[in-house]
Amino acid sequence: MNEIKGRVINVSNRLPVLIRRHASGTRLERSSGGLATALEAGWRDQPGVWIGWAGATPDESIEPLLVRAARRRSYTLRSVALTEEDIAKFYSGFANEIIWPLFHDMPSRCNFDPEYWATYQNVNRKFAAVVAETAQEDDFVWVHDYHLMLTAASLRQAGVRANMGFFLHIPFPSPDIFEKLPWKQPILKALLEFDVIGFQGDRDRSNFVSCLERLLPEVAVERGTPHLLVGLAGRRSVVGTFPIGIDFEAFEHDAERPEIAAHAAEIRKRVADDVLVLGVDRLDYTKGIPERLKSFRLLLRRFPEMRGHITLVQVVVPSREEIPNYKHLRREVELLVSQINGEFTEPGWVPVHYIHRNLGREELLAYYRAADIGLVTPLKDGMNLVAKEFCAAQIDERGVLIVSEFAGAGPELRSGAIIVNPNDFSQVAQALYDAAHMTAEEKRSRMRLLRQIVKDHNVHRWIRSFLQAVPSSDQVKGGSGSASWSELDGATVGPSIASSFGSVVRVDQKMPGVALLASALTPRTRPRYAMGKDAKLHVLRSAAGED
Ligand code: ADQ
């Protein structure tokens, strides 16, 4: 573990604020989506810099607005200027018509336009240029998500020496899916320029390592506990799993406010004694909204006694509406809602309430509190923060969470939630029926457990554990620095930035943090490390071709 002496520089496609131009002038809005929500909550009161696109094409009116937005924050904001063409080919194109569907296991939705790749490289260089102007050697550059996978490579070329980390907020696909990408090798190589590469779940991390093994045979992989080390051409990267969390305390605290309780009571009054099922999503085809609606329809068909006694409130926030796949999705969802309502509505009861807008935090919390069942059924999702927010806001412990096995939140919350396959409409319908008939005691004990998990694995812990995995410069650059990996065992992390996200953290005595990358050593000098009990030293292929 390296002590980060300088600042943390967060880099993401979007800043936490978005500049929107309206007929009446330019306005600042909060960015929506999971990344901005989590990072902004985790970074509250922490110093540093956040670099990203401010959501408007460049002109001189942006900077004063950003300075104003930074006044209410502990960190400064720096914008990266993107042109209309960049936005079309980098953001809508490469990021959201190639990487997003591919990494969510939906290759048939990809549009592998070669022009997108050229712009993606160019825009990553633009981000890197702003980071290079900002970062000093002691700083830690933390790059977020699939939009910016090439940034470290550009920064290294520009001679930037700061430590760099990358966190992928979305899933990483298996080799059979990833290898469809025409630019697979350059992307993998560019990722290995980061010192730490983090994933939401073990499955994502293991997919990444399998892709390295298949597509870059010269890479050396060493499996340690809790992290792995991979090496290529004299560089080493720590590869770890860091499941993201939410600011539990803030959600819990806000959900307790009397005005939220009153708003929740109002919502409940509208549905009378019905079981209130809640879905909250960005309108995205990965979130499984049509499948959820079909499962709800099946419930009403299969269990006629539920008619008039259960209501689904589906809230969607408009998203990426300029991309054709998303336009079709909106039509599909709205058609299904009207078909279900047409088939089942009775005087005094409408089965699906459909809300197509961004809810304010108060309204969102009121829905979370009012709901009896949180229905979170993405077809594939890095984590899914809605599942965690629902638990944090359930202060009365009366709600049941149904969550997809294909969301990162599934494995993490499986001890208290009902886990479903979102493609199995029959299973989801049965889960809804079971949740609606669960006893109050069972609901309470499940929700109590869920809330404890979400509280323990909060966003601050996520940040801390990622920063703790940052190796020192010597450790990643190979050569004589290798011995210091063993020195990590049992070390107490000093007054570093990591510890400012919570109490001082002690590195687990049983794990060496990361084990030594064997490829950098000759067999004679290669030390043996005390690995976790299930881990074994496994060198697949060394850079020196030893194995
Ligand atoms: P997202 O795909 O954006 O995030 P998610 O994690 O569910 O997905 O976060 C959505 C956020 O938007 C939540 O904070 C939710 O409260 C908010 N939201 C959704 N609908 C809303 C509405 N109608 N009104 C107001 N707010 C709404 C990506 C990955 C996820 C990963 C996160 C964080 O796709 O898998 O969990 O990053 O890493």
Side-chain angles (χ1 to χ4, degrees):
M1 155 76 199
N2 180 30
E3 238 179 67
I4 298 162
K5 298 185 189 81
R7 302 160 302 171
V8 174
I9 300 179
N10 278 305
V11 190
S12 62
N13 174 49
R14 279 181 196 275
L15 285 172
V17 289
L18 196 62
I19 293 167
R20 279 213 201 275
R21 301 203 197 288
H22 298 269
S24 53
T26 308
R27 255 206 338 248
L28 266 182
E29 291 174 13
R30 285 174 89 96
S31 292
S32 61
L35 188 159
T37 311
L39 207 55
E40 194 165 28
W43 225 262
R44 197 175 300 127
D45 305 327
Q46 297 297 330
V49 186
W50 191 331
I51 294 173
W53 178 54
T57 42
D59 77 19
E60 66 291 349
S61 67
I62 290 182
E63 281 314 314
L65 283 172
L66 290 182
V67 170
R68 205 174 78 204
R71 260 186 234 137
R72 278 175 284 117
R73 294 177 162 81
S74 52
Y75 44 84
T76 53
L77 301 170
R78 286 209 59 183
S79 74
V80 178
L82 298 184
T83 64
E84 303 261 353
E85 190 186 359
D86 290 340
I87 294 153
K89 294 183 180 166
F90 151 78
Y91 174 70
S92 300
F94 198 84
N96 287 328
E97 288 184 37
I98 299 179
I99 301 297
W100 178 268
L102 192 75
F103 281 30
H104 286 88
D105 293 351
M106 300 180 186
S108 62
R109 289 184 182 263
C110 293
N111 173 13
F112 293 110
D113 185 333
E115 281 192 33
Y116 291 171
W117 170 238
T119 311
Y120 185 74
Q121 294 173 87
N122 194 27
V123 170
N124 269 252
R125 282 193 287 268
K126 287 188 182 184
F127 274 80
V130 179
V131 177
E133 280 169 23
T134 312
Q136 287 153 14
E137 199 165 322
D138 283 348
D139 292 339
F140 176 63
V141 178
W142 189 358
V143 177
H144 295 267
D145 232 358
Y146 60 104
H147 314 86
L148 300 174
M149 293 187 283
L150 313 180
T151 322
S154 299
L155 286 165
R156 301 277 181 222
Q157 273 165 19
V160 174
R161 292 170 56 85
N163 269 312
M164 298 173 204
F166 176 80
F167 184 77
L168 186 70
H169 289 254
I170 66 173
F172 197 91
S174 68
D176 286 351
I177 300 274
F178 183 78
E179 70 180 1
K180 295 182 194 302
L181 189 60
W183 311 281
K184 53 200 172 218
Q185 272 103 353
I187 287 180
L188 287 179
K189 282 187 182 158
L191 283 172
L192 295 182
E193 295 287 345
F194 287 99
D195 303 312
V196 187
I197 306 163
F199 298 94
Q200 297 271 24
D202 288 340
R203 178 159 40 186
D204 306 310
R205 185 180 72 166
S206 112
N207 282 343
F208 175 69
V209 172
S210 303
C211 287
L212 291 177
E213 290 169 0
R214 186 182 293 185
L215 300 168
L216 293 181
E218 65 275 32
V219 166
V221 180
E222 183 171 342
R223 287 170 167 78
T225 308
H227 305 311
L228 312 183
L229 263 188
V230 297
L232 178 68
R235 281 200 47 76
R236 302 159 186 173
S237 310
V238 175
V239 180
T241 301
F242 308 93
I244 199 166
I246 60 164
D247 189 349
F248 178 90
E249 264 79 21
F251 269 93
E252 182 185 56
H253 176 263
D254 290 351
E256 278 166 354
R257 282 172 26 216
E259 56 274 33
I260 303 289
H263 196 154
E266 223 174 85
I267 293 168
R268 284 232 52 98
K269 215 190 289 166
R270 270 182 257 146
V271 295
D273 290 333
D274 291 4
V275 175
L276 199 167
V277 183
L278 179 67
V280 176
D281 308 85
R282 276 191 309 102
L283 187 50
D284 193 292
Y285 50 81
T286 61
K287 302 291 181 185
I289 303 166
E291 292 76 7
R292 189 178 310 161
L293 289 164
K294 288 175 190 169
S295 300
F296 187 69
R297 178 168 67 190
L298 188 61
L299 169 88
L300 298 177
R301 285 182 180 162
R302 190 169 287 171
F303 301 102
E305 70 276 21
M306 296 300 289
R307 296 177 198 167
H309 300 291
I310 189 163
T311 299
L312 170 64
V313 175
Q314 178 61 57
V315 188
V316 295
V317 61
S319 177
R320 304 175 192 169
E321 289 185 307
E322 63 292 350
I323 300 171
N325 272 331
Y326 288 76
K327 283 198 191 108
H328 298 154
L329 175 69
R330 181 172 174 181
R331 280 201 291 275
E332 187 187 359
V333 167
E334 291 180 355
L335 185 63
L336 269 165
V337 169
S338 67
Q339 282 173 348
I340 297 169
N341 285 343
E343 187 175 341
F344 297 104
T345 297
E346 295 166 0
W349 175 66
V350 178
V352 184
H353 296 198
Y354 174 66
I355 303 174
H356 179 263
R357 65 186 151 82
N358 201 356
L359 297 188
R361 187 175 166 95
E362 287 203 353
E363 207 176 354
L364 185 65
L365 280 166
Y367 273 104
Y368 284 149
R369 260 200 84 167
D372 297 293
I373 300 174
L375 187 55
V376 182
T377 52
L379 303 177
K380 186 93 185 168
D381 217 333
M383 175 54 66
N384 197 298
L385 298 180
V386 170
K388 296 189 170 186
E389 293 168 3
F390 172 73
C391 297
Q394 278 284 323
I395 53 176
D396 307 319
E397 299 175 337
R398 5 169 315 274
V400 181
L401 177 67
I402 300 178
V403 67
S404 162
E405 62 182 293
F406 306 125
E412 211 184 337
L413 302 179
R414 69 178 328 125
S415 50
I418 301 181
I419 304 295
V420 292
N421 174 350
N423 301 305
D424 186 343
F425 305 158
S426 174
Q427 188 194 36
V428 177
Q430 187 63 49
L432 281 168
Y433 184 86
D434 293 344
H437 291 87
M438 198 178 274
T439 63
E441 298 88 275
E442 183 174 352
K443 285 186 201 169
R444 191 170 312 112
S445 58
R446 281 174 178 265
M447 187 45 75
R448 196 163 288 171
L449 191 56
L450 286 171
R451 285 169 53 75
Q452 196 56 51
I453 298 169
V454 176
K455 185 177 181 176
D456 288 347
H457 294 83
N458 64 16
V459 69
H460 308 293
R461 179 170 173 164
W462 170 68
I463 293 176
R464 212 165 54 225
S465 61
F466 190 90
L467 296 182
Q468 279 181 334
V470 179
S472 74
S473 304
D474 282 353
Q475 288 161 346
V476 289
K477 283 172 193 143
S480 60
S482 53
S484 52
W485 286 113
S486 61
E487 290 159 13
L488 290 170
D489 289 4
T492 300
V493 176
S496 63
I497 292 203
S499 62
S500 75
F501 287 90
S503 52
V504 171
V505 180
R506 196 167 280 279
V507 174
D508 189 335
Q509 300 282 344
K510 288 201 200 68
M511 54 96 167
V514 277
L516 182 69
L517 178 69
S519 65
L521 299 167
T522 63
R524 196 168 52 79
T525 57
R526 187 184 301 159
R528 291 286 174 258
Y529 290 89
M531 310 292 282
K533 80 172 162 20
D534 300 326
K536 57 176 192 262
L537 190 73
H538 182 86
V539 181
L540 285 170
R541 298 172 196 91
S542 76
E546 293 164 10
D547 298 303

